[in-house]
Amino acid sequence: MSAKNTSPNSSLRSPNSAAVTLHGHLQSLPSDLAKLIESFGLISLDMQTQFPKYLGGSSGDKNKYGEATAKLDNWANGYMCDALIKTGLVRTIHSEELREPLYHNDTAPFVVTLDPLDGSSNIGTNNPFGIILGIYRDDLPQVGRKLEAAVYKLYGPVNTLVYSVSGGDGVHEFVKHYHADGHAEFLLLNKNIKLPKKGGVFGIGANPADWNPRFAAFAQGLHAKDGLKTRYSGSFVADFSQVLHMGGFFSYPATKKIPDGKFRLYYECIPLSFLCEEAGGASWDGSASGDSVLDRIDNDVDARTPVYLGNKELIDRLKKEMRK
Ligand code: AFP
C-alpha cells in the first residue's frame, strides 16, 4: 500500500498583511499569560539573529544528564533564562541545561520548564532545532495535566511558534513575518490545528535492534499496513511538527538499554504531548496502566520517560499490540 496522505492538513504559506498578530491573538487570555507567551516569542526572534556567533561545536561542558553540550546550548540557555527573568513573570525556571532550578521572584505568577535548544545534534548540519516551554502556575513537580500552556519554537526554513493553553480553543501556529519597514512580527498561519485523521509520517528513535519485538512489529506495520513514510530528524520539535501537520506517529521508546527512555518528561514530553492531545491526538508513556504522558506521576523534574504520540487510533493500537 502506498502513502496516501502526505500533504499536510495545515501548511506554510505567506500570511497576508491583514493576518492576525500573535499579540492580537493572545488578547483573550489572562494578561500575565499572554505577556509571557508573547515575550517568549520576541526573545526567540532576538536569539535567532545571534546564532551565527555561537556556532562551533562543543562547549567542553556536560549537562546534568552527563551529555556533552554545544556552545549554542549553553548560550541559548543563558540568554533565554535571563530574558524570561526580566519579564518579571517567572518565579522559577527548571531547565534541561541547569543543574538546579533557578528561583527568582516569589511573587511572580509562573513556573516554567525549558528545553532551550531541542535538537542540538542538528546544529552542525544546519538542520532544524527548536525551543520547548512549559508554563505552570503551581510549583513543580506536578502532573502534566496541570500545565497552563505549552509553546514551541521551530527554527526551520522559516521561524514558527506554536502554542496552546489549557481550556483554550486549540493549537495555533504563527510565523515570523517581515513588514515592509523591516520589523519582524509573528502572524497567524494556522488556527486550531488538528492532526489529519489519516496519518502521513512516522519517526522512531533509538536503535531498532534494541526495540521490544512487539514494538518493532507495530513499527513495521506503520510502513507496510498504514503506508506511512519514515521521517526522523534528530529534533523532537521538528519531528512533532511533522506529526502535527501531517498526522502519524512519533516515539523514542523504552528499549533494553534504556528502559526509562531517553527523552525528558518535563522539559520535552509533557509540553509536546499536551500540544498533541489539544490537537486531537494521543500520547502514552509506555506504562502498563496505559497512561497518557500528561498523567505520568514523577516527582523528579529531571526524569526521563519513554514517549509515544500521534493519531489516537495508532496509539490505541500500539497499546493493544504491546499487551498481546
Ligand atoms: P537536546 O538537543 O535538547 O539535548 O535533545 C535532543 C533529543 O532529546 C530530541 O530532541 C531528539 O529527537 C533526540 O534527542 C535525538 O536523539 P538521537 O540522536 O538519539 O536520535
Side-chain angles (χ1 to χ4, degrees), residues 182-199:
H183 90 272
E185 180 166 45
F186 281 111
L187 296 183
L188 183 63
L189 190 59
N190 291 300
K191 200 176 157 187
N192 194 9
I193 304 175
K194 293 287 175 210
L195 267 68
K197 280 210 164 51
K198 167 89 178 75

Side-chain angles (χ1 to χ4, degrees), residues 121-138:
S121 64
N122 282 355
I123 300 168
T125 56
N126 193 25
N127 275 294
F129 56 77
I131 307 176
I132 309 173
L133 186 74
I135 303 176
Y136 299 79
R137 286 208 186 256
D138 296 330

Side-chain angles (χ1 to χ4, degrees), residues 67-304:
E67 298 161 343
T69 57
K71 277 187 193 155
L72 198 59
D73 277 319
N74 290 8
W75 174 81
N77 184 61
Y79 192 95
M80 182 55 84
C81 289
D82 287 352
L84 286 173
I85 281 172
K86 280 191 196 133
T87 65
L89 294 163
V90 173
R91 194 159 76 239
T92 309
I93 301 176
H94 296 264
S95 167
E96 189 180 301
E97 304 301 345
L98 286 175
R99 287 186 184 273
E100 299 294 335
L102 202 56
Y103 295 101
H104 170 58
N105 172 353
D106 276 354
T107 58
F110 298 109
V111 170
V112 300
T113 60
L114 177 67
D115 181 349
L117 204 153
D118 174 75
S120 339
S121 64
N122 282 355
I123 300 168
T125 56
N126 193 25
N127 275 294
F129 56 77
I131 307 176
I132 309 173
L133 186 74
I135 303 176
Y136 299 79
R137 286 208 186 256
D138 296 330
D139 291 333
L140 295 182
Q142 287 280 347
V143 281
R145 292 265 169 233
K146 293 277 174 71
L147 201 64
E148 187 82 9
V151 195
Y152 77 72
K153 276 300 324 263
L154 178 55
Y155 299 102
V158 292
N159 177 327
T160 55
L161 178 148
V162 172
Y163 87 89
S164 187
V165 302
S166 173
D169 61 350
V171 177
H172 311 293
E173 181 176 47
F174 294 78
V175 65
K176 176 186 181 182
H177 176 81
Y178 288 100
H179 291 283
D181 66 1
H183 90 272
E185 180 166 45
F186 281 111
L187 296 183
L188 183 63
L189 190 59
N190 291 300
K191 200 176 157 187
N192 194 9
I193 304 175
K194 293 287 175 210
L195 267 68
K197 280 210 164 51
K198 167 89 178 75
V201 294
F202 75 100
I204 302 175
N207 185 343
D210 297 331
W211 292 351
N212 174 311
R214 286 184 190 148
F215 179 71
F218 168 82
Q220 215 167 22
L222 292 175
H223 225 344
K225 280 201 293 214
D226 300 301
L228 270 57
K229 286 188 179 177
T230 314
R231 299 278 176 86
Y232 185 80
S233 76
S235 158
F236 189 17
V237 169
D239 287 321
F240 173 67
S241 182
Q242 297 188 127
V243 172
L244 180 65
H245 291 88
M246 300 170 87
F249 177 81
F250 179 84
S251 172
Y252 210 104
T255 71
K256 285 186 279 197
K257 290 202 180 117
I258 44 164
D260 296 330
K262 174 185 172 182
F263 284 13
R264 289 78 176 177
L265 173 63
Y266 282 88
Y267 306 120
E268 301 174 298
C269 297
I270 289 176
L272 297 191
S273 297
F274 173 82
L275 289 165
C276 185
E277 294 192 15
E278 290 287 309
S283 73
W284 182 38
D285 66 353
S287 60
S289 49
D291 288 339
S292 150
V293 170
L294 301 182
D295 294 317
R296 188 178 183 90
I297 297 169
D298 202 315
N299 288 330
D300 178 4
V301 179
D302 296 330
R304 298 176 191 266

